[in-house]
Amino acid sequence: MEPLSDEDLMLSTPTPEELGLTFREEENGDFWATFEPTGIAQPIEAEQFPQVMEMAGFSPQEYPVDSAALSILLDAMRRGESCDQRLGGPIDALPEVFASPNQMLAGVVVHPPQGKGKDLTREALEAALKQSKIVRGLLEDSLNELTSEAMQKQLRETQKPVCMIVAYGESAYDGTDAWLETLIEDITDRRPQMDEEGNVNFLELGDFPHVEADQALVRRHPPTDGKSGWTVTGRTVKGRNGKDLTLKPKNDSVKLADGDEDLLLSSTAGMPVVHDKGAQVEQVLKVEQVGLKTGHVRFDGSVHVKGNVDPGMKIVVTGDVKVGGLVEAAYIKAGGAIEIGGGVIGRKKSDKEKQPEAQKDDDEKGKIIDAYLKAGTQIKARFIQEARVEADQEIIVQKQILHSEVTAGIKIMMPGRGTIVGGVARAKEIIDVGISGAMANVPTKLIAGETDDIKQQIVTVNNQLKQLDLQRQQLMDVIAKIKKLRKPISEEKKQQILKARDGLKQRENTLYDKMAELEKELKDRHSARVQVRVTCYPGTLIHLGEDEFSPRNDLGKVTFVLRDGEIIMR
C-alpha cells in the first residue's frame, strides 16, 4: 500500500455546522457571525474562513470581512467562548478630493466600493467637490469618466483606487514694465549690459561714440497691462500692471521728437550717454596731459587725456574719463567710466596713515596727496598700486593690484594671471582673480557679498512702514470721529481726507516695492563668490557674508561660496 501524500494528510475545512458558526445579514447590510461551541471541530485559520463562508452560502466578494473583526471571532473560537461578531458591511465608493498648494489644479482619488456598497454617482462626486470648495475650472469630461459605468466596473473588478485631474485654474500674468530701446549700437551705456550667455563684459570699452544733431537716441516702449486669473476654489489672482516710465529731456542736449513723445533726439552733436530715464549728449574735452599747464579739470561732460595725469592733479567730470598714460597720486571722479591705459600709482603709506581714523576721502576742494579714483560705472586699468579705487559697477585690472583698497558695486575682474597682493578688495557679487596673496604670506583681504548695508536699509524701510501705519490709524480715528458726530462736512474737507488716504496708500506701495528690491538684493548677495583661478596663498583672508576663511596652505584653482552661512570651497 502506497503512503499518503502531504495533501491527503491535511484535514479538510470543517463545515459551519461543525464549527458552530451561523451567518446573517442585517437590514442595513451589516454582515454578522454567531459562534456557539460544539466541540466537534478544531478552530480554523483566517485563510480557511472564505471557504466556510462559501459553504454557508455567503460570497466573500459580496460580503467583505474586516481582518480585525475576524481576528476577534477566531480568538473566541480558540478559547471556546460564545461570540456574536460584526464582520463587516457594505462600503460605498469614496471620492477623496485634493488640490495643489497654489490651488491651480484639483484632482480626485476614487476608492472602490466593497461588497454591496454603492458605486460613485455624479451627485456624490459633486458633493465632495463642493465640500472641498472646488467650484471653478471643472473638467466635464473627467467628471463624466469618473462616474461612467465602465469606471465603476473597473473599480469593482480591480479593487484599486483611480486618480484623475478634475479642475484647472487660470494663471495670472504680470504686465511688462515700460523700457527704453537704445537706437545707437555704439552708445556709451551707463547700465550693465548682458551678452547672450548672461555675462557682463566691460573688458573692451572702445572709442567714445559721436552723434549729430537731430539723431534718434532712445525710444520708450509703454508698459502693458497684466491679466488676472483665478484658482479652482474661485479666488481671484491679480496680475500686476507694468510700471510706467516717463521719457523727458534731462537737459538742452536732447529733445522729444515732434509728434512722438516716445522718441528722444539729440539737440546737438556730441557723445550720447544712456541712463535709466533717457539719454543725454555730452561734449568730450580732449587734452594732451593734465598737469601744471592745464590746472585742475572740472567739466560737465567727458574728458580724454592723451598722456599722463600728474601727481596732485584733479579731474572731476559728469561723464567718462579716458587716460592714455599713467595716473600718479591724482584725484579722478567721473559720473561714468574711467579707463586708464597705463596704471594707477599712489603714495606708500606709513603704519600710522593706515589706521582707520587716518583714511579719509580726498576732498575735491582739498590738496591731493594720494591716488583716488571714483567712477559711477566701471574702472579699467593695467595695474593699481598703493591707491584707493571705487566703482559703482565693475573694476577690471589686467596685471596687478598691489597694497590698495579697491571697491566695486558688482564685481572685480582680473583676467589671466592677474594678481592681488596686500590691501583690501571688495565687491557685492564676484571677485575673480588669477592669484591672491604672495608666497611671503602678505595679508590680502577679499570681501564679497557684504550685507550690513542692505540689512540697515531693510530696518529703515520697516520703520517707515510702521510710521505709515500709525498715520493711517490717526486718519481712521478722524474719520470715525466725524461719523460719530453725524454732521455733514464740507467738500473741501472731504477732498483733504481722500487726498491724505491716497497719499498714504501710494507711499506704502512705494515702500513695499523698495522692500521687495532690498530682499532680492540681499538674496543675490548670498550667492556672492570669490574665485581664484591659479593660486590662493596663505595670508589671503576670504570674507563672504558674515563668515571668514583663511587657507593654511597654498591652494590651486578654487572658488569660495556661501552655503548655510558658512564658506565652502569648490
Side-chain angles (χ1 to χ4, degrees):
M1 183 177 179
E2 295 182 1
L4 295 174
S5 65
D6 291 341
E7 293 182 359
D8 293 333
L9 291 172
M10 292 180 61
L11 296 175
S12 61
T13 301
T15 64
E17 292 78 10
E18 292 173 337
L19 292 169
L21 282 174
T22 58
F23 299 95
R24 71 182 186 278
E25 179 184 2
E26 300 288 350
E27 292 183 0
N28 61 1
D30 286 352
F31 182 55
W32 288 75
T34 300
F35 169 67
E36 293 293 343
T38 61
I40 299 176
Q42 294 294 325
I44 61 173
E45 300 297 328
E47 293 78 7
Q48 296 173 287
F49 199 77
Q51 300 177 33
V52 176
M53 290 177 58
E54 292 281 3
M55 294 178 191
F58 292 90
S59 170
Q61 286 74 31
E62 294 185 8
Y63 299 92
V65 175
D66 180 71
S67 58
L70 178 59
S71 296
I72 294 173
L73 176 63
L74 295 179
D75 285 344
M77 293 174 65
R78 293 187 186 97
R79 295 193 302 269
E81 298 176 356
S82 299
C83 179
D84 190 30
Q85 178 66 39
R86 179 186 179 278
L87 297 179
I91 300 176
D92 297 339
L94 176 65
E96 182 181 350
V97 181
F98 64 88
S100 62
N102 62 0
Q103 298 183 342
M104 295 307 292
L105 67 83
V108 174
V109 176
V110 181
H111 298 276
Q114 296 184 21
K116 295 183 178 181
K118 297 179 181 178
D119 292 334
L120 179 65
T121 64
R122 181 62 177 262
E123 292 75 15
L125 178 58
E126 289 179 350
L129 291 170
K130 185 176 181 180
Q131 184 178 4
S132 298
K133 299 181 181 179
I134 308 300
V135 297
R136 196 168 184 185
L138 295 170
L139 305 176
E140 192 65 26
D141 290 344
S142 296
L143 301 182
N144 289 335
E145 184 175 352
L146 285 175
T147 55
S148 65
E149 292 184 5
M151 181 60 70
Q152 308 315 308
K153 182 179 179 181
Q154 175 185 331
L155 288 169
R156 285 192 176 276
E157 291 178 350
T158 63
Q159 285 296 300
K160 293 182 179 179
V162 172
C163 180
M164 190 175 296
I165 301 299
V166 296
Y168 283 108
E170 184 171 317
S171 299
Y173 297 95
D174 291 339
T176 57
D177 296 339
W179 59 283
L180 297 181
E181 177 187 4
T182 301
L183 302 179
I184 301 177
E185 293 184 0
D186 59 350
I187 197 166
T188 299
D189 194 337
R190 291 192 173 182
R191 299 167 298 178
Q193 301 294 320
M194 287 189 178
D195 58 20
E196 294 179 356
E197 297 179 356
N199 299 317
V200 182
N201 185 2
F202 295 101
L203 294 179
E204 182 55 53
L205 298 179
D207 296 331
F208 290 100
H210 183 81
V211 295
E212 301 297 334
D214 295 322
Q215 189 168 342
L217 302 178
V218 295
R219 173 172 289 281
R220 169 188 171 271
H221 291 269
T224 60
D225 292 336
K227 179 185 177 183
S228 296
W230 39 264
T231 66
V232 293
T233 59
R235 179 174 59 87
T236 300
V237 182
K238 293 184 178 181
R240 180 184 65 84
N241 293 332
K243 296 180 180 179
D244 202 358
L245 172 66
T246 301
L247 182 64
K248 60 182 180 180
K250 184 177 181 180
N251 51 37
D252 295 338
S253 67
V254 291
K255 61 184 179 180
L256 294 175
D258 294 337
D260 189 352
E261 294 186 352
D262 291 329
L263 181 63
L264 193 67
L265 307 177
S266 59
S267 299
T268 183
M271 185 185 71
V273 177
V274 168
H275 50 78
D276 291 337
K277 296 183 180 180
Q280 65 191 71
V281 177
E282 297 177 347
Q283 303 297 315
V284 180
L285 174 64
K286 296 183 179 181
V287 295
E288 290 294 320
Q289 185 169 339
V290 176
L292 294 176
K293 185 177 180 180
T294 61
H296 296 318
V297 176
R298 293 183 176 87
F299 187 68
D300 185 12
S302 297
V303 172
H304 186 178
V305 181
K306 186 175 181 180
N308 300 331
V309 179
D310 293 342
M313 303 308 299
K314 304 175 186 177
I315 300 177
V316 180
V317 300
T318 59
D320 300 317
V321 174
K322 190 172 184 178
V323 179
L326 291 172
V327 174
E328 186 175 355
Y331 179 100
I332 300 178
K333 185 175 182 180
I338 298 176
E339 180 180 351
I340 311 298
V344 181
I345 302 175
R347 183 175 61 85
K348 189 172 183 179
K349 305 173 188 63
S350 65
D351 291 339
K352 182 178 180 181
E353 289 174 312
K354 291 181 181 179
Q355 297 302 317
E357 60 271 11
Q359 296 190 20
K360 299 180 180 179
D361 288 348
D362 290 310
D363 191 342
E364 293 180 19
K365 298 180 181 180
K367 182 179 179 181
I368 304 304
I369 61 174
D370 205 354
Y372 174 75
L373 275 63
K374 175 71 172 71
T377 56
Q378 64 277 156
I379 293 177
K380 179 181 178 182
R382 187 173 180 81
F383 67 88
I384 298 174
Q385 178 177 334
E386 299 286 354
R388 288 196 300 123
V389 177
E390 300 176 10
D392 290 346
Q393 293 179 4
E394 285 82 13
I395 295 177
I396 304 101
V397 181
Q398 297 176 4
K399 296 296 183 182
Q400 291 180 325
I401 299 177
L402 302 175
H403 304 288
S404 299
E405 184 177 342
V406 181
T407 304
I410 298 178
K411 61 183 177 181
I412 297 173
M413 296 285 293
M414 300 191 70
R417 293 179 64 86
T419 304
I420 294 182
V421 179
V424 179
R426 291 185 179 88
K428 291 182 180 178
E429 296 183 8
I430 302 171
I431 297 179
D432 189 350
V433 303
I435 300 172
S436 68
M439 295 180 66
N441 292 0
V442 178
T444 305
K445 194 168 186 177
L446 308 183
I447 304 172
E450 283 185 308
T451 59
D452 291 343
D453 57 333
I454 296 296
K455 291 180 178 178
Q456 183 58 46
Q457 292 181 59
I458 290 175
V459 170
T460 300
V461 172
N462 276 325
N463 290 337
Q464 292 173 344
L465 285 170
K466 290 179 181 177
Q467 186 64 29
L468 279 182
D469 190 56
L470 180 61
Q471 294 175 10
R472 182 189 296 106
Q473 186 58 48
Q474 291 173 348
L475 181 61
M476 295 301 295
D477 292 341
V478 172
I479 295 173
K481 186 176 181 181
I482 292 173
K483 290 182 177 180
K484 186 175 181 180
L485 293 174
R486 297 183 178 180
K487 291 183 179 181
I489 61 173
S490 64
E491 183 64 25
E492 181 181 358
K493 185 69 174 177
K494 180 179 179 181
Q495 291 302 321
Q496 289 177 351
I497 292 175
L498 292 176
K499 184 178 180 181
R501 181 200 64 185
D502 294 340
L504 288 173
K505 184 63 177 177
Q506 183 177 1
R507 289 164 60 192
E508 182 180 276
N509 291 338
T510 301
L511 287 174
Y512 277 122
D513 290 343
K514 178 66 174 177
M515 179 66 75
E517 294 173 2
L518 290 173
E519 290 175 347
K520 181 180 182 300
E521 185 171 353
L522 182 62
K523 183 179 179 181
D524 291 341
R525 291 198 190 182
H526 287 159
S527 62
R529 68 180 187 272
V530 174
Q531 179 173 320
V532 183
R533 299 185 306 278
V534 181
T535 306
C536 180
Y537 286 106
T540 301
L541 177 63
I542 306 297
H543 185 109
L544 287 174
E546 299 178 0
D547 196 19
E548 290 184 341
F549 172 81
S550 183
R552 297 181 179 179
N553 302 306
D554 295 358
L555 299 178
K557 182 178 180 181
V558 63
T559 300
F560 301 93
V561 297
L562 268 181
R563 179 174 296 173
D564 298 329
E566 295 184 357
I567 296 175
I568 64 169
M569 296 183 292
R570 64 182 187 188

